[in-house]
Amino acid sequence: MSSPSTAIQTLGLVGTGAMGRGIAQIAAQAGLTVKLYDANPAAVDAALGALRDTLDKLATKGKVSPEQAKAALERLHPCTQLADLASCQLVIEAIVERLDVKRELFKQLESIVAPDCILASNTSSLSITAIAAACAKPERVAGYHFFNPVPLMKVVEVIDGLRTGRAVGDALMTLTRTLGHTPVRAKDMPGFIVNHAGRGMNTEGLRVASEGIADFATVDRIMREQAGFRLGPFELLDLTALDVSHPVMESIYHQFYEEARFRPSPITAVRLAGGLVGRKAGEGFYRYVDGKQQVPAEAPAPVTQPARVWVSRADTRAHEATMQLLTKLGAIIDQGERPADDALIIVTPLGQDATTCAVEQQLDAQRTVALDTLFPLLDAKRRTLMTTPVTRPDVRDAAHALLAKDGVPVSVIRDSAGFVVQRMVATIVNIGCDIAQQQIASAQDIDRAVTLGLGYPRGPLTLGDALGAREIVTILRNMQSFYGDPRYRPSPWLTRRAQLGVSLLTEES
């Protein structure tokens, strides 16, 4: 397909639900003529009414001028039949997620629109190549995936099917910028970029919970306050709702032919079956009263203090950081090569559990606790402490009291290879690296898509750089060794860049 001779000015939308309305709003505000069609004529009228209300509210709040709101509304044109879309330069479908229905629609559109009209699907889960296969001109078909709510979610995935013409994707990239959004370009693979990358936190969070390492609220607190994420995995699942999230987990897992990295959890299957789907149902991983999340209170930190503390020297970097923190907290340090008989023992593993550290270093497991040092300790908003199965309660409480002495909350979890943060962050980084390895998207676009589409504090590759690619590889390899599970095998992209000591954003030369 040749490049469109002029910039896209006339847009057709098939489907006027939440996604169609959102796309129509930003397109009309950007100056495009927008034609709205829905198989249900009443849905078009409802959409126009909702868009009128939205634009009026924006004008009332001063987000746009009354004149701009009026002009945008005048650019919206209802259509009663598909034939009314004949003059469009681009038609976007935002209808039901069924391949057969989308393919039939695109075949109908081909007989209506001009030969150079672009046909785009807003699908979040279906193959663009499979949709385009029903068309006489598959080169004009592309994926154009917006996120809900469209006006606020500023990223759009432009997806090239196997036969999509390069000029088609280029035109959609340009249009996205005109709409005030950020385009990212992806190859046609399950989950594209955002839904693919999003497998890391949720599936690993569920794995942590399934092993009884910590409850849902504790996992969420750790990911928010220690790792700096806006939401923890269970808060996020409650927001998106399990009737949406669980099928996506299963779909991506099966589309990648049971890839271990994406393995779903029976936890969500059972809760979905029981109707505990999330915020919209009033109960999910949390209960909601009048829409407000009910979070169980944390128990106060104990007051007992250890007589003295011995810190493992197995990891020089972690030992130094831990010693700085303990000095700040006023701890009495045991400087011996081996811990004294009355000393609290602290180990600082990467990807290992406290038990393995105690056994390998020939330490008393009853007096051993593990401290997560992946993120900075001194200015932390939360610290995580881990026990062995035989750590004495008085030792656990003394360690908790000491590490919370400066007012920073401490989460105490059961033994886990990789704590909570290490295993979840390493999984996020690893999947991001493997998206790059598979050339689904550029390294820069992966990070853009994840920060804008998932709201993570950093993209997975930038996050890996900040924490250290070699440290991430160490975490993954130790977890893979402990669990014997291929889900933790490091991506070649990650391994090679860690070996070379270069940024994870480094593309092939």
Side-chain angles (χ1 to χ4, degrees):
M1 178 176 174
S2 60
S3 180
S5 56
T6 57
I8 294 168
Q9 293 294 327
T10 305
L11 164 67
L13 274 164
V14 180
T16 56
M19 295 302 296
R21 294 176 190 183
I23 297 168
Q25 178 190 327
I26 64 170
Q29 286 184 260
L32 275 70
T33 297
V34 182
K35 297 190 173 186
L36 295 164
Y37 172 80
D38 198 289
N40 176 10
V44 177
D45 293 337
L48 287 170
L51 287 165
R52 184 181 296 107
D53 291 344
T54 296
L55 290 165
D56 286 346
K57 288 177 183 176
L58 290 174
T60 301
K61 293 179 179 179
K63 302 289 185 181
V64 299
S65 69
E67 293 76 18
Q68 288 172 324
K70 182 174 181 291
L73 193 61
E74 289 173 350
R75 297 187 190 105
L76 298 169
H77 302 278
C79 298
T80 58
Q81 54 188 357
L82 278 177
D84 295 338
L85 305 179
S87 63
C88 293
Q89 296 163 285
L90 163 66
V91 178
I92 303 171
E93 69 80 10
I95 62 174
V96 63
E97 285 286 88
R98 278 182 50 187
L99 180 60
D100 59 335
V101 178
K102 292 181 188 291
R103 287 170 63 133
E104 181 59 33
L105 170 64
F106 275 48
K107 282 199 293 185
Q108 292 181 56
L109 288 170
E110 271 203 311
S111 67
I112 293 169
V113 299
D116 63 349
C117 175
I118 297 171
L119 302 179
S121 174
N122 184 54
T123 182
S124 62
S125 62
L126 298 177
S127 166
I128 302 304
T129 302
I131 295 171
C135 295
K137 296 182 66 176
E139 64 272 17
R140 71 156 87 187
V141 179
Y144 202 32
H145 182 212
F146 291 78
F147 294 83
N148 193 31
V150 174
L152 300 180
M153 298 295 286
K154 296 291 187 178
V155 65
V156 184
E157 293 176 320
V158 175
I159 303 107
D160 294 297
L162 287 181
R163 299 183 67 180
T164 304
R166 185 73 191 178
V168 169
D170 290 346
L172 294 177
M173 294 286 285
T174 299
L175 175 62
T176 305
R177 297 184 186 99
T178 300
L179 299 178
H181 281 39
T182 298
V184 292
R185 199 147 186 177
K187 189 166 70 175
D188 186 16
M189 289 291 280
F192 310 133
I193 305 173
V194 174
N195 281 332
H196 189 164
R199 298 311 91 212
M201 183 163 74
N202 290 351
T203 55
E204 195 59 28
L206 287 162
R207 180 79 179 257
V208 168
S210 72
E211 292 176 21
I213 291 162
D215 60 32
F216 304 134
T218 298
V219 173
D220 283 346
R221 287 186 183 110
I222 290 171
M223 285 303 290
R224 277 199 325 270
E225 298 170 20
Q226 186 178 345
F229 282 68
R230 187 179 304 170
L231 296 172
F234 303 107
E235 293 169 315
L236 183 58
L237 287 167
D238 269 5
L239 184 63
T240 57
L242 290 186
D243 55 346
V244 175
S245 299
H246 182 76
V248 170
M249 289 184 207
E250 289 190 327
S251 173
I252 291 179
Y253 177 61
H254 293 309
Q255 285 184 76
F256 275 104
Y257 297 99
E258 284 63 59
E259 163 59 59
R261 290 190 181 109
F262 309 135
R263 188 184 303 121
S265 168
I267 290 176
T268 50
V270 171
R271 298 179 82 83
L272 174 58
L276 305 179
V277 299
R279 184 184 295 268
K280 70 181 184 182
E283 187 168 3
F285 292 101
Y286 298 89
R287 288 182 61 253
Y288 296 86
V289 177
D290 297 327
K292 187 175 181 181
Q293 182 185 42
Q294 305 298 297
V295 183
E298 281 191 278
V303 295
T304 182
Q305 296 281 330
R308 47 183 163 171
V309 184
W310 182 89
V311 180
S312 168
R313 295 177 178 82
D315 183 332
T316 303
R317 178 194 63 85
H319 178 267
E320 181 180 342
T322 305
M323 292 295 283
Q324 289 176 350
L325 173 63
L326 294 177
T327 300
K328 173 191 170 186
L329 297 174
I332 300 172
I333 307 297
D334 178 352
Q335 300 284 5
E337 287 296 316
R338 300 291 299 171
D341 291 342
D342 63 344
L344 163 68
I345 301 170
I346 295 180
V347 293
T348 55
L350 281 177
Q352 289 185 317
D353 61 349
T355 296
T356 299
C357 287
V359 171
E360 288 185 350
Q361 298 177 42
Q362 298 182 325
L363 302 170
D364 181 357
Q366 295 187 69
R367 292 188 287 129
T368 298
V369 296
L371 177 65
D372 189 351
T373 62
L374 183 62
F375 283 82
L377 292 172
L378 288 176
D379 56 353
K381 293 183 179 178
R382 179 170 293 273
R383 301 180 185 120
T384 300
L385 191 65
M386 185 165 68
T387 59
T388 77
V390 296
T391 301
R392 296 199 319 256
D394 63 306
V395 170
R396 176 199 64 209
D397 291 349
H400 185 175
L402 174 61
L403 292 168
K405 194 174 179 181
D406 57 353
V408 174
V410 174
S411 290
V412 181
I413 64 172
R414 294 188 177 95
D415 217 357
S416 165
F419 293 89
V420 170
V421 158
Q422 288 183 18
R423 62 192 292 173
M424 291 177 67
V425 167
T427 302
I428 290 166
V429 173
N430 197 37
I431 290 175
C433 286
D434 216 55
I435 295 173
Q437 182 66 48
Q438 295 179 56
Q439 298 182 307
I440 294 171
S442 70
Q444 294 287 350
D445 270 0
I446 292 166
D447 271 9
R448 288 190 194 101
V450 168
T451 52
L452 293 172
L454 294 174
Y456 289 1
R458 295 186 179 104
L461 308 181
T462 300
L463 180 59
D465 281 347
L467 297 173
R470 289 174 181 166
E471 282 76 11
I472 298 296
V473 170
T474 297
I475 291 167
L476 290 166
R477 285 181 174 161
N478 283 338
M479 289 170 62
Q480 185 182 13
S481 174
F482 181 85
Y483 285 107
D485 191 335
R487 82 186 268 120
Y488 301 118
R489 70 193 189 281
S491 165
W493 182 283
L494 170 62
T495 300
R496 293 187 182 112
R497 282 152 186 78
Q499 288 175 330
L500 293 169
V502 299
S503 169
L504 296 178
L505 292 162
T506 305
E507 303 276 4
E508 299 288 331
S509 59

